Amino acid sequence: MSDFTRLREAAGTAGPWRSLGELGASADFREHLHREFRVPIDSGVDRRELLTLAGASLAMAGLTACTRQPTEHIYPYVKAPEEVVPGEPLFYATAHVHGGYARGVLAESNEGRPTKIEGNELHPASLGGTDIFAQAFVLGLYDPDRSQTLSERGEIRPWSAFLAAARLAVGKERPGRGAGLRFLTGATSSPTFAAQMAQTIAALPEARWVVWEPAGRENVYAGAQAAFGERLEPHYAFDRADVILSLEADFLAEGPAPARAARDFASRRRGDSPNRLYVAESTPTLTGARADHRRPLTPAGIESLARAVAAAVGAISGAASSDPFAAAVAKDLLAHRGSGLVLAGEGQPAAVHALAHAINERLGNAGKTVVYTEPVLAGPPGGAAALAQLAEEMRAGKVTTLVVVGGNPVYTAPADLRFAEAMEKVPLRLRLGLYEDETSRLCHWHVAEAHSLEAWSDARAYDGTATILQPLILPLYGGKSAHEFLAAFSEQSDKTGHDLVKDFWRARLPGDFDTAWRKAVHDGVVEGTAFAPRSPSPSLRPLDAKPPGAAETAGELTALFRPDSTVGDGAYANNAWLQELPKPLTKLTWDNAALISPSTAENLGVANEDLVDLLLAGRRLTMPVWIQPGQAEGCVTLPLGYGRTRGGRVANGKGFDAYALRGSDGLWSRAGLEIRKTGGHYPLATTQHHHAMEGRDIVRTVTAAALARDPDAVRKMGEPPPGPDDTLYPKLPAAAYAWGLSIDLAACVGCNACVVACQAENNIPVVGKHEVTRGRAMHWIRVDRYYEGSLDDPLTVHQPVTCMHCEDAPCETVCPVAATVHSAEGLNQMVYNRCVGTRYCSNNCPYKVRRFNYFLYSDFPTELAKMVRNPEVTVRSRGVMEKCSYCVQRINRARIAAERENRPIADGEIVTACQQVCPARAIVFGNIADPGSAVSKARGQRRQYGLLAELGTRPRTTYLASIRNPNDALPGAAKTGGDHA
Amino acid sequence: MQVFHRSTNTISRVSVFGAVFFLALLLWLFDALNRSPYTTLQGVARVQPVQFSHKHHVGAMGLDCRYCHTTVERAAFANIPPTKTCMNCHSQIWDQSPELEPVRASFRTDRSIDWVKVYDLPDFVYFNHSIHVAKGVGCETCHGRVDQMPLISQHPTLQMSWCLECHRNTEKYLRPRDQVFTMGYVPAARQEEIGQRLKSEYHIRPVLELTDCTTCHR
Amino acid sequence: MSDALRPTGSSPTSETSSRAILAPGYSFTSVTDKIASIALSRRTPWQWFLGALTGFALTMVLLASLSYLFVKGVGIWGVNQPVGWGFAILNFVWWIGIGHAGTLISAILLLLRQPWRNSINRFAEAMTIFAVACAGIYPLIHVGRPWLAYWLIPYPNSMSVWPNFRSPLIWDVFAVSTYATVSLLFWYVGMIPDLATLRDRAKKLWAKMLYGMLAMGWRGSARHWARYEQASLLLAGLATPLVVSVHTVVSFDFAAGIVPGWHATIFPPYFVAGAIYAGFAMVLTLAIPLRKLYGLEDFITVRHLENMAKILLATGLIVGYGYLMEAFMAFYSGNVYERYAIANRMVGPYRTIYWSLIFCNIISPQILWFRKARRSVPILFVMAMIVNVGMWLERFVIVVVSLHRDFLPSSWGMYRPTAWDWSTFAGTIGLFLALMFLFIRLLPMISIFEMRQILPAAKAAEGE
């Protein structure tokens, strides 16, 4: 831990702060402090300068070819912890909590530094897979912009001072039995936290707990309330569903457990009897991209579709509509009673959820494909209403003490509540936060929150399974966990987070506590904590058959508010990996834009990157537009989470704050949007400019029917590749292992998890918006997205593309210094230290998967940036080429282990980063020389094809064609046909 | 009138031919410098906080390498012993020696001893001790007669050509596993024969694979 | 001496004076005076200072650009994914192309015994050297880690690894360096007798010393002349294949790649033709102002210009044929990528560049079919300029337009040169000018003794 202490010194800007803090504590003075002490480390400008010097010194070092090693030091342990073997990583089970739901992970620790997140096989929400947020949140741990101090009005204070203040506040509230005390938190499922809260409120019965989650699940619970009269948690068994109707439920990317959903869904896409997915949505989503039949509809349209289907299956009274789509879906659902599934998204009104429940009940899907349990999220009903009430109370001066735990209400609250203004009416405002953000600015007390890799906690998964979150490292900035923070308002203020969590579970674990506790912590799941399925009252509340009142009038525009696909509701805005991660559909990075349909763009006469004024209910926002094929006519999607003002150096000033338009009367969608062209222009950074396949057989899609008719359907689609002997190059010598990768496009949901995982595993630098616009993004694996068919409702396909490790690699022949050469086991090796950077290999790579360090992209100056790096992978400097290595560091690790024991490497012993993270298990890596290996089996399938194999590159990475299973009764079937051979 | 003296002819001729040799000389010097200890630090003893003598501990007292370098058989890093290891003995013997004050200080203050790294490979080279030990490469082969070094200095040049020399002809260097930690090992028979035998016995991979770039660079 | 002075090659007696390669009324002495005086006595015209100054200023721009480049990295240029090669490589090819005329004139025309070459070969060679020097800069600076560029040279090293001899870039190293060396030798050897002349006529001591050293004790004895003839013939023999090889090898950089628009067997011949085309265009561009500035119309006569115009026309047609074949093969191959690549040139985002290239290199030279045009100095000058631009555009189309859209549409992109791309390009032009101006000021820009060689023939022609 010696390096940790050194780091703490590095990070502690405390010294100067304290001395200066005494001078003044006004908000603007703190602004000044930020400028003084935060920026120079590595702000855009200064960082460039550092890079300049670094680059220059590199050049000098190189020029004297006699490169002497700089003197390096070794700091051995004083007393070595027994489990630590230097250079050997350790894995600890914990969880990543997103929107209150736990997603089990294993965190890799190298000499005490958490460096990489993997999925936890034992955790129901993971089963070994993870999502982009879980992959990226380790970067947040080392974020130098994270709040590093406990402060009162900008003045550094010790923890004890805060405890005193909290005690004082509670004392003040006691007479009124806490009438003026409000706790405002984000959605949480932590049993310990809930218990603490209950305890605190028991002591002060009049105090209240308000939950605000900007993109929360309130509608889901309200829907269950409407249907069954009680708040229930529905979750779905996608692996058991043959026919799925999604009412804008983006279950593959959003919701409580997308990784699990993708796993289950994909398991039914590979086989000969694939499931069938119908999606009705207003704005394109990944789930919609996987649909066999997709229907772009306005919010009202979705509701009426739900009613039509419900009526057609007899779930509600009323005449079946004439809509052929609804009829076909209903027919399909009726044909699959008990194996059908209808689900509605978080953004849908309670009514639609209720209708979905009704249909599932009616068709006997409930209990089979849909399971109901008690709500996973703790606390009172959240949603806009609760927050509005709080704002009202604050404005009325009824609130005397406001405790904000996490979240960022000032930024995320609906604009019409004028929350900040109301909040300033509260005499005492205390805050626990990861960042000194928009909310902290308005709080008297700010306590630096500990990152979830730094603190003890617990959380529940979508099915109620609890996970104990354990810290991997002491708080870098001395942060406190929510438990410790909340305890300050109770009698247990002296307890550590560890004790609080442990004590909670002490009574609740069966058998010998210490054993059970150790097992629970070790496994990452607490056995037997999953909620028992409920069978809700079969007698459904009667649902009104009349269409909703507030249907948008024709021609009027509707604003849709959705969490951004990479930075979520803004909580991840300061995470550079996620900022540079191309959004799965728009392929935009570093910004959000108003997504409009092609025809809407035509009507308004706007093009991509045009700045427009958006007017909604008297609120105004200027934002660039981006034309989104497949967007429902008249719907404008405004991704949340951007336009941060105090989110950190990465987040600030990126994109546009859609919360400014969002009203409490239409959290998810609101009609009456007005768009005015400003004539202005705002450049957006996209990683893909061309969206058509130009009739080339790049992504091959085949229908289940076509494949059944003709097993060779896929192979016939493209030009046949040359035979094994049609080459002038010498054959590769037969080695014991021949590494190969297979990507199943039928399983791939395009979720981007592989991209972030690869970035984390291979120390891939972030280049920033400007460099992305210049076409210099560095991702080793990218997910290409193509559109087919009409602009208004295209077929969307995704394809992960990484180095193909061609057996006859065009890049290898042209490198003048033999910096990229073939290994005996078929790896296309890239040797950074030999590369002089002619970029010839990249030019000659037909897949364009090679990435070049045009500048010194890797952050050499920042100490913290080094902590997250994988010690097994070289950090590339300026002027060298890099690319996918098949995670050769993992291959070598496995080989050395095997050879030490004089045994062959077992199949599945080597798992590449992209394979390990993939929630859909679409990627298989292994030895293709062994016919029994998983990868050989995958490549043996009839859907197998090589990308651009006709060029004679003999790619080692091959694809399995995507499968669509259209309903012949629908016109769309022809379009999604795929058998265009 | 004549501006040049007759001798200029000779001078010009000499300089024309001389230039070639002069250039060659420069190149040779450059290469020589590149391979010299000035660059490689080969055989240069470093100043350490504690003048630890391997000669004494290994040569005289016959400590096994693994007593301190505990992870050499199971990890990439052979491990520099924690202060605790030193104190195992030196809390009893030489426990007053001023030489050992830094060790005691480290133990007292719980701060690491600041050793200077002697065998320092570039960061883009990934060397793994465990596999070399497992395949019968003696400590001595790379680290020299440590038992005769009062102060450790780098035995080989640690240049790539040196690594490849062994990876290309393993038979010249392999020794039986039980001899790996022996200092001053003498092969029982002709090294070539032993090497060839061990090569098959220990399943040493073919040269082509041992010299793949990714064997050491990633 | 007199042996050496006998005019070689076919005497132009039967020709009319309009075809003369030397204006009437010259004696051995007057020829020598006229040329030598430029370097020694005559007042330097103000235009020279103007030109030289521009050249040096731009050279400073080059130095600045390079310093910034080395500090920051090649990212300062417009190169990206997918366009990994930009201005650096296309300017390299452009300069190398220009650097062809000199050796061609001196070597091949010498072997072909074309006496008319005598008045232009000297500065054509000089131009070659300077162009190759400019070209040589680019491959070094365009790499990501220029300080390691020497790894392209095979030498026994402490890493005990060799370069990849399969890579066209390695072939370049050899081709270009050989070409540069031989051209330099050829140029210098050819100059020795004249340097001696200057040495003997120089008044100032430093000039005597300078030229004297360079003349390496040349006394013009019969033995010297014999050796000289041998040497220049030998070098000419060496240089001739090089003229063809260099640009052939350069074309391999592209032809050996699989990029649609690069991967074509026709590249070598049409690169060579293009090189000669560009080379002669540049010779004209220089010759026309020079003869005006120094009143050398008598030595560089209209006939010279016309001959060069004819070569322009011929090579231009070959290049045009090359373009045609490229398009045809793309269509004929039926290869979807090749077809798209060509179509993309014609109608894609860079179509304007393609069509201006067609205008510059194929349409406009057709005017040279007319004798009037061939003999009109202004037309020729404009023509030469157009071709210089055209050839640059051709390289842009080949390098950039082929790369920006290749196999996977997802990776398609655009290339936009930055200010640094332009400044580096302008810089090399400056370097070229600077060297050129130094040359015409300090060295005999026309081969004195070779002019004297053709004098008797010319006299005879007058006699008619």
Side-chain angles (χ1 to χ4, degrees), chain A residues 80-248:
Chain A
E82 63 197 74
E83 75 277 10
V84 173
V85 175
E88 300 294 308
L90 294 167
F91 290 84
Y92 298 92
T94 177
H96 172 240
V97 182
H98 183 84
Y101 291 85
R103 300 166 180 187
V105 299
L106 300 180
E108 176 180 353
S109 168
N110 284 286
E111 284 94 50
R113 297 177 294 114
T115 56
K116 177 81 169 68
I117 301 299
E118 304 296 357
N120 181 355
E121 303 274 353
L122 303 175
H123 193 278
S126 163
L127 299 184
T130 42
D131 54 42
I132 56 173
F133 303 112
Q135 280 302 315
F137 92 120
V138 64
L139 185 64
L141 170 63
Y142 302 108
D143 186 345
D145 295 352
R146 255 173 62 202
S147 158
Q148 308 186 350
T149 53
L150 192 164
S151 58
E152 178 191 12
R153 294 180 165 84
E155 204 172 314
I156 306 282
R157 294 307 202 123
W159 174 241
S160 56
F162 172 77
L163 289 180
R167 211 170 290 114
L168 193 67
V170 173
K172 278 223 192 73
E173 295 293 343
R174 196 162 277 113
R177 309 177 66 243
L181 178 58
R182 294 288 180 278
F183 293 94
L184 176 55
T185 75
T188 177
S189 63
S190 165
T192 307
F193 188 83
Q196 282 182 284
M197 195 54 93
Q199 198 179 18
T200 317
I201 288 181
L204 300 158
E206 296 301 315
R208 207 153 345 88
W209 176 12
V210 182
V211 174
W212 166 246
E213 188 67 27
R217 305 246 304 158
E218 186 51 29
N219 287 348
V220 178
Y221 292 149
Q225 182 81 36
F228 307 114
E230 55 177 329
R231 294 167 68 85
L232 291 173
E233 183 92 36
H235 52 89
Y236 310 98
F238 295 100
D239 51 344
R240 278 187 248 133
D242 296 325
V243 176
I244 304 169
L245 169 61
S246 157
L247 301 164
E248 200 169 72

Side-chain angles (χ1 to χ4, degrees), chain A residues 65 68-70 72-74 76-78 85-86 733 821 823-824 829 831 833 871-874 892 899-900 902, chain B residues 38 41 74 82-84 112-115 117 120 122 124 126 130 135 177 203 205 208 212-214 217-218:
Chain A
R68 287 181 76 168
Q69 286 296 312
E72 292 194 70
H73 296 256
I74 302 179
Y77 287 104
V78 173
V85 175
V821 291
S823 87
Q829 309 169 111
V831 194
N833 45 301
E872 294 289 293
V873 176
T874 308
N892 286 2
E899 291 211 352
R900 272 204 308 256
N902 263 323
Chain B
Y38 168 79
L41 297 174
R74 50 199 175 108
T83 314
K84 177 85 177 54
S112 304
I113 304 176
D114 176 353
W115 296 104
K117 203 169 181 195
D120 188 8
F124 49 74
Y126 288 84
S130 66
K135 296 291 179 182
R177 285 212 181 87
H203 308 104
R205 302 163 64 213
L208 198 64
D212 275 337
C213 309
T214 46
H217 304 299
R218 12 169 147 141

